[in-house]
């Protein structure tokens, strides 16, 4: 099912959305269009830098675990996990050639691994459309004991997420210091963060940390740096 376009909402309120710049892959030149074309199945690979920075920060917690990537896509995250020497099992709803098991996340009654690291489908993880059922399925039905999700930083502000947030708050949130470019057309107008559930966490005890970019193979890997006032 094709996701509704925000531009339709603009038109319904009598407002006009600004044109967006789209880069021609052959010439490298940009042109302004009314709406950025959607890729097949709505899929855009996760930039490696996001996964690299996260793995660098959480490597001591990830080593020794089997990790499940249930939205594997074309294997963008899997390649980073391999570079860090992590043990991973992958699945996805669509076969995109990375060797993942083709199976819906919601068809799993038991997890193939008890640690999840992924960029989940937003429409199933947000409150407005999916009522966060993706997250509920992972934490409540599958009972994973570690989960890290790459989400827009403002995701947690949705009012409907209040009960989930108070009942199952994440242990850590890593806010990236840079904007991610999922499309190759220029950075998206939003910051992203990794939300990490890591065992029981009391409401109000979530740690907020800043996450820097890392460059693999060039010196030390950077971890998370607590914000002022963080524990």
């Amino acid at each position: 099912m094709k996701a509704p376009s925000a531009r339709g909402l603009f038109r319904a309120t009598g407002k006009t959305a600004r044109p967006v710049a789209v880069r021609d892959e052959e010439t490298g030149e940009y042109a302004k269009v009314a709406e950025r074309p959607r890729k097949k199945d709505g899929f855009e690979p996760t930039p490696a830098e996001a996964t690299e920075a996260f793995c660098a920060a959480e490597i001591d917690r990830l080593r020794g675990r089997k990790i499940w990537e249930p939205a594997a896509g074309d294997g963008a995250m899997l390649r980073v996990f391999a570079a860090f020497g992590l043990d991973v099992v992958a699945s996805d709803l669509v076969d995109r050639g990375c060797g993942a098991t083709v199976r819906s996340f919601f068809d799993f009654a038991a997890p193939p691994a008890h640690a999840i690291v992924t960029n989940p489908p937003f429409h199933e993880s947000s409150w407005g459309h999916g009522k966060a059922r993706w997250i509920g399925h992972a934490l409540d039905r599958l009972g994973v004991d570690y989960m890290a999700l790459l989400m827009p930083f403002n995701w947690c502000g949705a009012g409907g997420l209040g009960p989930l947030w108070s009942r199952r708050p994440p242990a850590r949130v890593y806010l990236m210091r840079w904007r991610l470019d999922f499309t190759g057309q220029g950075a998206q107008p939003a910051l992203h963060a990794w939300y990490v559930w890591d065992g029981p966490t009391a409401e109000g005890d979530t740690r907020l940390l800043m996450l820097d970019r890392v460059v693999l193979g060039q010196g030390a890997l950077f971890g998370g740096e607590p914000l002022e006032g963080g524990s």
Side-chain angles (χ1 to χ4, degrees):
M1 180 177 179
K2 185 177 180 180
S5 170
R7 295 177 179 274
L9 299 179
F10 274 110
R11 288 192 291 270
T13 57
K15 297 180 180 179
T16 302
R18 295 179 179 178
V20 293
V22 173
R23 182 171 60 86
D24 186 301
E25 294 184 1
E26 294 184 0
T27 66
E29 296 180 353
Y30 283 84
K32 292 291 186 71
V33 298
E35 185 173 3
R36 181 175 288 122
R38 292 179 180 270
K39 295 185 178 181
K40 184 180 179 181
D41 299 320
F43 169 72
E44 290 170 342
T46 301
E49 63 200 56
T51 312
E52 290 167 354
F54 174 76
C55 287
E58 288 279 293
I59 190 62
D60 289 339
R61 297 182 178 94
L62 295 175
R63 283 198 184 107
R65 296 179 183 264
K66 176 172 281 190
I67 299 168
W68 178 20
E69 217 293 42
D74 67 351
M77 280 190 177
L78 302 180
R79 291 186 284 275
V80 176
F81 295 149
F84 278 86
L86 299 174
D87 185 13
V88 183
V89 59
S91 64
D92 203 332
L93 186 61
V94 178
D95 183 2
R96 296 188 174 93
C98 69
T101 298
V102 180
R103 187 177 180 186
S104 169
F105 178 67
F106 297 105
D107 287 343
F108 285 90
H114 283 274
I116 290 177
V117 181
T118 190
N119 177 4
F122 183 77
H123 68 286
E124 296 284 3
S125 306
S126 65
W127 184 255
H129 298 292
K131 305 304 180 188
R133 75 185 190 112
W134 202 97
I135 296 170
H137 183 74
L139 295 177
D140 298 330
R141 184 177 181 190
L142 299 179
V144 298
D145 53 33
Y146 180 100
M147 181 168 71
L149 303 181
L150 178 61
M151 303 288 285
F153 182 55
N154 64 357
W155 162 79
C156 62
L161 290 173
L164 171 67
W165 198 260
S166 61
R167 182 173 57 87
R168 298 294 299 269
R172 296 175 293 284
V173 177
Y174 289 96
L175 174 60
M176 285 176 280
R177 296 183 191 270
W178 71 100
R179 298 178 187 273
L180 292 179
D181 179 7
F182 284 90
T183 67
Q185 303 290 341
Q188 298 293 303
L191 292 173
H192 285 74
W194 285 94
Y195 289 83
V196 183
W197 287 262
D198 188 9
T201 303
E203 185 177 5
D205 286 348
T206 300
R207 298 181 66 199
L208 179 61
L209 304 106
M210 300 297 289
L211 195 62
D212 287 307
R213 280 182 167 126
V214 302
V215 180
L216 296 180
Q218 295 186 18
L221 295 175
F222 296 94
E225 173 189 326
L227 286 170
E228 183 178 353
S231 58

